[in-house]
């Protein structure tokens, strides 16, 4: 089973009004402010390292979004019960 960070990023930005101009690795790395000073881009190892950092950033950001959405849903449910 594989994981595609591009698909994950597309899902992440799907309902957001502003997002990156495309879903290329370099664009997403810039968007998430991933330090690539030690990475050789377009080199297999550099791209893998960047992809791992991108995955971490997406997971951090996605967990925040999921938590915010769950909080909103809980609040609206509580408001409807009152």
């Amino acid at each position: 089973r594989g994981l595609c960070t591009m698909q994950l990023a597309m899902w992440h930005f799907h309902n957001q009004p502003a997002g990156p101009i495309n879903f290329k690795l370099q664009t997403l790395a810039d968007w998430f402010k991933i330090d690539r000073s030690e990475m050789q881009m377009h080199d297999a190892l550099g791209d893998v390292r960047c992809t791992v950092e991108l995955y971490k950033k997406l997971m951090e950001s996605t967990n925040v979004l999921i938590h915010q959405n769950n909080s909103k849903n809980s609040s609206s449910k509580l408001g409807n019960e009152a």
Side-chain angles (χ1 to χ4, degrees), residues 29 32-39 49-50 53 57:
F32 284 101
K33 296 177 177 58
I34 295 171
D35 179 16
R36 297 181 317 241
S37 61
E38 301 285 323
M39 299 176 197
R49 288 179 174 158
C50 188
E53 292 305 312
K57 296 283 187 175

Side-chain angles (χ1 to χ4, degrees), residues 20-38:
I21 58 172
N22 60 50
F23 296 98
K24 295 178 181 178
L25 182 57
Q26 278 190 286
T27 306
L28 292 169
D30 289 341
W31 181 268
F32 284 101
K33 296 177 177 58
I34 295 171
D35 179 16
R36 297 181 317 241
S37 61
E38 301 285 323

Side-chain angles (χ1 to χ4, degrees), residues 9-61:
M10 291 172 78
W11 174 82
H12 174 77
F13 289 105
H14 176 70
N15 288 324
Q16 293 189 18
I21 58 172
N22 60 50
F23 296 98
K24 295 178 181 178
L25 182 57
Q26 278 190 286
T27 306
L28 292 169
D30 289 341
W31 181 268
F32 284 101
K33 296 177 177 58
I34 295 171
D35 179 16
R36 297 181 317 241
S37 61
E38 301 285 323
M39 299 176 197
Q40 282 278 3
M41 295 308 289
H42 304 293
D43 171 77
L45 185 57
D47 286 354
V48 168
R49 288 179 174 158
C50 188
T51 301
V52 168
E53 292 305 312
L54 173 60
Y55 175 77
K56 290 177 185 178
K57 296 283 187 175
L58 282 166
M59 288 295 93
E60 289 171 10
S61 187

